[in-house]
Amino acid sequence: MRAWRQRQLPHPSPPALLDLFERGFQALWRRGRSALGEVTLVVILERVLHRVVQAHPHLSALAVTSEGLRFEGLHPVVAELDPERLEESLVVLVEEWLRVLGALTGEVLSAALREELLAVERPAVEGTRHPR
């Protein structure tokens, strides 16, 4: 997680940060789904999100669906959030999800998930959204 963030812009705008993490979650979801299936991933991510929301209530705007983590609910309020707190909360969410997935799979998927995350690059221009 740290290696991935260090390769990105040091202080992206909140919308660009949200876009980056959204693309990161999509990459992790695609890789995890191929190994574990969407039902398993939904259950795991719902539980992880529930725990992380206790410390970071603004993440309650996120939704877990069979297609992954949906960020639409956070987009309207992202500009109102402190960028450092937003980034911290999203890092905690990714790290916790990866930790739980690693624990449940005996770390079998961990290297592949890290590779998927490292492949997610920042937008070429700040604030540019990539097609999904």
Side-chain angles (χ1 to χ4, degrees):
M1 183 67 213
R2 284 182 179 71
W4 177 63
R5 276 302 296 133
Q6 288 173 352
R7 293 175 50 190
Q8 309 305 323
L9 294 172
H11 301 289
S13 69
L17 183 67
L18 199 56
D19 176 65
L20 178 65
F21 275 87
E22 189 170 6
R23 288 183 295 108
F25 263 99
Q26 288 170 348
L28 293 172
W29 187 268
R30 282 189 305 272
R31 181 61 181 97
R33 184 181 56 208
S34 68
L36 299 173
E38 67 187 39
V39 172
T40 301
L41 286 180
V42 165
V43 171
I44 294 168
L45 188 52
E46 283 178 341
R47 185 69 188 139
V48 167
L49 182 60
H50 176 75
R51 274 191 267 148
V52 173
V53 162
Q54 292 174 1
H56 304 280
H58 59 275
L59 294 183
S60 65
L62 299 174
V64 180
T65 72
S66 62
E67 296 182 10
L69 190 61
R70 309 307 298 177
F71 284 71
E72 288 87 0
L74 201 51
H75 285 285
V77 298
V78 72
E80 301 167 13
L81 299 172
D82 173 56
E84 288 180 18
R85 179 156 165 72
L86 176 63
E87 181 171 6
E88 173 191 337
S89 65
L90 292 169
V91 166
V92 167
L93 183 59
V94 172
E95 287 179 342
E96 181 63 9
W97 194 37
L98 292 174
R99 187 192 66 74
V100 171
L101 287 173
L104 291 174
T105 63
E107 301 296 333
V108 170
L109 284 179
S110 295
L113 291 172
R114 280 192 297 273
E115 286 178 26
E116 286 295 325
L117 191 59
L118 286 172
V120 175
E121 295 292 332
R122 68 178 179 246
V125 176
E126 175 76 11
T128 302
R129 294 184 55 87
H130 286 265
R132 298 202 200 329

